[in-house]
Amino acid sequence: MNTLHRTALFAAAGTALVLSLTACQGDGDANSAPASGSSVNVQSPSGKATDASGTTGSANSAGSGSSSGSTGSNGGGGSTKASGSSGSSGSASSGEQASASTPVCAAGDVHITAATQDGPPYTHIVLTAKNTSRHSCRLTGFPHIQFLESHKQDVPAVAKSKPEAPVVLAAGDPAYALVKLSDGGREEDNEPVTAFSVMLAGDPTVIAVTAPGSGGIAVDPAKALTGYWTPELRNGADDF
């Protein structure tokens, strides 16, 4: 009887010990894991705490009273900046949509003239396309130029001169394109040009442009290059 009684006591004590350890382990897991539905704060590149769950004020649920108050304030600032960023993004999108909705300039919308740039030897000319219509239009790409009847291919364009934003011309506004004629050397195969043709992107209409100067211009077809249409007049050395 004594043996059986001691065995029963040992069994009961072992069971109580197991239950105690299980309860302690369960309390540790609850403290280490976030509760269901709680949000997790992550550190943004700006150094401010942001809420990974996307809800504001969740930073206040973590940390001590003083630190959580500071984190909550930062979280609120981050939320305000995010909304401001969204607003600016929307404004940029609206600007792009407005530019895209502007009709492309046709040959009948602009008047194109040519003028020499810098001094002799004249290696560059400037094309000016003035919007002579009564509405805004969008000038895309670069002028498609052919200087000589013997060279039917268009003058190549320089990608470096491409503007970042679309060129939208209000009524009366000009746009410019720099055109390289030659390198200015005496040994070049230059040919005299008194008039040449220009076409706008998207319009097959041929526009006849008079070359500047009383004797025209000297063009080396192998060296000729054109820039993109830009809203401001540029220096040829920068684009070519």
Side-chain angles (χ1 to χ4, degrees):
M1 293 295 291
N2 292 334
T3 302
L4 292 175
H5 181 67
R6 281 184 293 179
T7 302
L9 288 175
F10 288 152
T15 301
L17 179 60
V18 170
L19 291 175
S20 175
L21 291 174
T22 302
C24 292
Q25 184 177 0
D27 292 340
D29 291 342
N31 293 331
S32 61
S36 174
S38 65
S39 56
V40 181
N41 293 324
V42 295
Q43 196 74 11
S44 68
S46 62
K48 296 185 177 182
T50 58
D51 184 3
S53 70
T55 59
T56 58
S58 60
N60 293 331
S61 63
S64 63
S66 60
S67 62
S68 66
S70 174
T71 305
S73 173
N74 288 341
S79 175
T80 302
K81 288 188 177 181
S83 103
S85 174
S86 299
S88 62
S89 174
S91 176
S93 299
S94 300
E96 292 177 0
Q97 291 175 1
S99 298
S101 64
T102 305
V104 176
C105 296
D109 295 327
V110 297
H111 177 62
I112 299 179
T113 57
T116 54
Q117 188 186 45
D118 301 328
Y122 296 106
T123 58
H124 293 77
I125 60 173
V126 180
L127 296 184
T128 301
K130 184 178 180 179
N131 182 1
T132 55
S133 71
R134 296 182 179 180
H135 59 82
S136 296
C137 66
R138 180 165 41 97
L139 203 56
T140 62
F142 52 87
H144 295 261
I145 304 171
Q146 290 187 6
F147 281 117
L148 300 164
E149 288 293 330
S150 57
H151 295 79
K152 290 295 184 180
Q153 68 273 20
D154 290 347
V155 173
V158 180
K160 182 181 178 182
S161 63
K162 185 176 181 179
E164 296 181 0
V167 180
V168 177
L169 301 180
D173 283 355
Y176 307 94
L178 286 175
V179 183
K180 180 181 178 181
L181 306 177
S182 66
D183 286 337
R186 294 182 178 180
E187 302 300 325
E188 290 183 286
D189 189 13
N190 294 334
E191 297 186 40
V193 173
T194 57
F196 55 94
S197 65
V198 175
M199 290 190 297
L200 302 179
D203 190 339
T205 305
V206 177
I207 304 172
V209 179
T210 302
S214 58
I217 53 179
V219 179
D220 183 348
K223 303 293 179 63
L225 295 169
T226 183
Y228 280 70
W229 293 113
T230 58
E232 74 283 344
L233 182 58
R234 298 183 177 180
N235 186 341
D238 294 336
D239 286 336
F240 299 97

